[in-house]
Amino acid sequence: MASIPLLLMGCGGVGRQLLHHVISCRPLHSQQGVRLRVVGVCDSKSMVAIPDVLTSEFRDDFLLQLCEIKSNGSSFLDLTKTGECQVYSGEEIGRKVIDVATALSSSSGLALIDCSASSETIGLLSQVINLDGCVVLANKKPLTSPLEYYDKLVSQPRRLRHESTGYPFLNAHVALLYKVGAGLPVIATINRMLSSGDPINRIIGSLSGTLGYVMSEVEGGRPFSEVVTSAKKLGFTEPDPRDDLGGMDVARKALILARLLGHRIELDSIKVESLYPEKMGPANIPLDEFLANGLPLLDEAIQKRIESAASNGNVLRYVCLIEESRCEVGLQEVSKDSALGRLQGSDNVVEIYSRCYSKQPLVIQGAGAGNDTTAVGVLADILDIQDMFRHSPSAA
Amino acid sequence: MASIPLLLMGCGGVGRQLLHHVISCRPLHSQQGVRLRVVGVCDSKSMVAIPDVLTSEFRDDFLLQLCEIKSNGSSFLDLTKTGECQVYSGEEIGRKVIDVATALSSSSGLALIDCSASSETIGLLSQVINLDGCVVLANKKPLTSPLEYYDKLVSQPRRLRHESTGYPFLNAHVALLYKVGAGLPVIATINRMLSSGDPINRIIGSLSGTLGYVMSEVEGGRPFSEVVTSAKKLGFTEPDPRDDLGGMDVARKALILARLLGHRIELDSIKVESLYPEKMGPANIPLDEFLANGLPLLDEAIQKRIESAASNGNVLRYVCLIEESRCEVGLQEVSKDSALGRLQGSDNVVEIYSRCYSKQPLVIQGAGAGNDTTAVGVLADILDIQDMFRHSPSAA
């Protein structure tokens, strides 16, 4: 039996879904000989923990109560009076996380789950790794932090899992509308290939459901401005579509993949092509003006590039492209007969070329992930580290 | 540091490639803190083992010598006189494997790697699992054995890995011609989805590179008999193409996938559509007659089915189809806009539908696997169990 003590940071949509999945999968996990034991939950302001992290755990009805508190916009601090848990706030939180990891380091170790969207967690994550704990991330930011921090975090690669950070991610609106699927197993596949000595020399992928949708609609003949405007109305984009069109979200995912392949680069060294010029950026003109007067000015240039691609037998896609000495994000011509070229709607696709996959790539394709499915991916990562929480034969 | 004692059964193409990969990946694995320690190698007739399996291992140059002996068609029995290893034969082999597993069961446990093509290994595999060992399979047969044996083998799912048995596999001729890629991560993906509570309700896939090639050429307008005949000439089929056209190899893969989804079925309960009638089978007419007079009689019926599919906006594919109460292998009409419908050449593709992936499937696509890449997949599986060979913090 593997018993995994979990401490969850971040109790937003993904974190709450994770708690729901942990509870609903209990019978399944029991069959598999795994017990997920939640010993603490933090949001950005407070933390609840059980008094005895070595042997006890939160009851499922208490976990559901925590979810409800967060859904209602209330605070964990109100729980102080119930006596069911210890409640911490401010600087106490970090100290308590380390206390818990230290207490567990002489037995099973702690699994720290980061479902927050904070760039501040990286210090704690690295400390937990040093204390023989494991870290599972849905939060991309620690992996896109400067290399000096990144290196510490990934120093024990078996103790760090982050499949969900590589998920082609749709924003929450799109996710709801498309009822999108479980995350694509991109990171796990890359790790398998690398560790078995099949070096990867090229990854090209469409990692934004929003930009995938925009490019395939534009290819169908609709003007760029019209597609973006209607995508915004349909809720397929961020409230300000420039957040999608700028490409920085794709660049963050590209950085995570490039670093997996061993590229020693920072986020600002990635060449990112924005689909609008800087003078139309949020710092220079308001959203309304961008939509009404800016966007239509972009139609002709995009149309010309699509025609030029078509005259080469290609189509235009907004991709991340990682090669040996190259990591770029932007529009590229791809063969219309490739998996990327045949992409339609908001599906995401990743093509991986390696020594074994030299002519035809390994292709992984599917819908981007919403909260539910990001949580499913985090849960799969947690189950994937279970062997580290199982006593070895000699210890049994 | 994880030190994994390996005992390899089967020293044909895949087994020898595995030994070469183990040796060439040593610097990489050393970086990752893993040591693969080969303590024994068997072929169908004999076994070599090191005297002290607890602490020592075969030197790399000795492993290369074993590969050479097998490449030359010689026997391990000649090694008896060198004194470098113990040599066993006949019934001694099974006893020695169990001895090794028993000796290691009180320390790290043994990893038994089955790269043979034998249906006889299943008893040993199950015994090693019972002795707290792990099993990695490239050999499909143990997984398609009757349920009473299968159940014992899979009783400890974390201790059994078999990604390479799910590989869409091209026969050796095709593999050489296509220089095909690493195995598709189908089994690992299915296991991730199932264990994280995303139930799979449908798998449909083209798992034979040969039949994929035949169907896409026929779709292009060439007569079936002509395509099969030229595929045979090009070495794209088994020596007797009826071994491909009968569908039993696809059925074996379908059984492995269906059992993963919880189907309690045997091989003979799968509905298999053969692309030739029984009266043209090897028991009834010789190969030459089949090719000259049998095959052309099949052209018209296939052509009609392709036209009928086209009139529905579909294309015809030879697939395995697994649904809740269904496991079939044969021709199916699929939408020409689906990943399956767009398949060309000898690529394989698997579409997986689940709760999270309800409208659009998760798609995994790529070339089938030859010896080299099957060995890469076995090696990835071995690295995937490394945490069971790492001392837990309490034991460290």
Side-chain angles (χ1 to χ4, degrees), chain B residues 3 35 50 63 71 106 111 188 305 316:
Chain B
S3 169
R35 176 77 191 174
I50 51 165
L63 294 176
S71 299
S106 58
R305 286 185 69 175
L316 214 53

Side-chain angles (χ1 to χ4, degrees), chain A residues 21 25 28-29 32 105-109 132 158-159 161 163 167 179-185 188-189 192-198 337 342 344 347 355-358 360-367 372-373 376-377 379-381 383-384 386-388 390-395, chain B residues 21 25 28-29 32 105-109 132 158-159 161 163 167 179-185 188-189 192-198 337 342 344 347 355-358 360-367 372-373 376-377 379-381 383-384 386-388 390-395:
Chain A
H21 282 313
C25 286
L28 179 73
H29 294 159
Q32 297 172 351
S105 67
S106 58
S107 58
S108 59
D132 281 333
R158 295 294 293 181
R159 300 192 164 277
R161 303 295 163 106
E163 187 62 67
Y167 283 6
K179 184 99 169 55
V180 291
L184 306 179
T189 300
R192 268 185 79 88
M193 293 171 82
L194 293 177
S195 69
S196 57
D198 184 21
D337 292 328
R342 289 189 205 125
Q344 290 173 332
D347 254 18
R355 182 194 55 151
C356 285
Y357 269 95
S358 56
Q360 293 286 335
L362 191 161
V363 177
I364 302 174
Q365 180 172 346
D372 174 19
T373 48
V376 165
L379 186 53
D381 276 347
L383 291 163
D384 222 31
Q386 63 179 271
D387 299 330
M388 283 193 252
R390 216 177 271 275
H391 287 287
S392 64
S394 58
Chain B
H21 282 312
C25 287
L28 180 71
H29 294 159
Q32 297 170 351
S105 67
S106 58
S107 60
S108 60
D132 281 332
R158 295 295 292 181
R159 299 192 164 278
R161 303 296 163 106
E163 187 64 65
Y167 283 6
K179 183 97 172 54
V180 290
L184 306 179
T189 300
R192 268 185 78 89
M193 292 171 82
L194 293 177
S195 68
S196 57
D198 184 21
D337 291 329
R342 288 190 207 123
Q344 289 173 333
D347 254 17
R355 183 194 52 151
C356 286
Y357 269 96
S358 56
Q360 293 285 334
L362 191 161
V363 178
I364 302 174
Q365 180 172 348
D372 174 18
T373 49
V376 165
L379 186 51
D381 276 347
L383 292 163
D384 220 31
Q386 64 180 270
D387 299 329
M388 285 194 251
R390 214 176 272 276
H391 287 287
S392 64
S394 58

Side-chain angles (χ1 to χ4, degrees), chain A residues 236-256:
Chain A
F236 287 13
T237 69
E238 295 289 340
D240 186 339
R242 288 174 292 190
D243 288 345
D244 298 300
L245 301 175
M248 282 313 293
D249 188 50
V250 177
R252 257 174 238 116
K253 291 168 197 157
L255 180 62
I256 292 173

Side-chain angles (χ1 to χ4, degrees), chain B residues 172-191:
Chain B
H173 303 278
V174 185
L176 287 172
L177 286 163
Y178 274 80
K179 183 97 172 54
V180 290
L184 306 179
V186 175
I187 308 269
T189 300
I190 290 174
N191 276 331

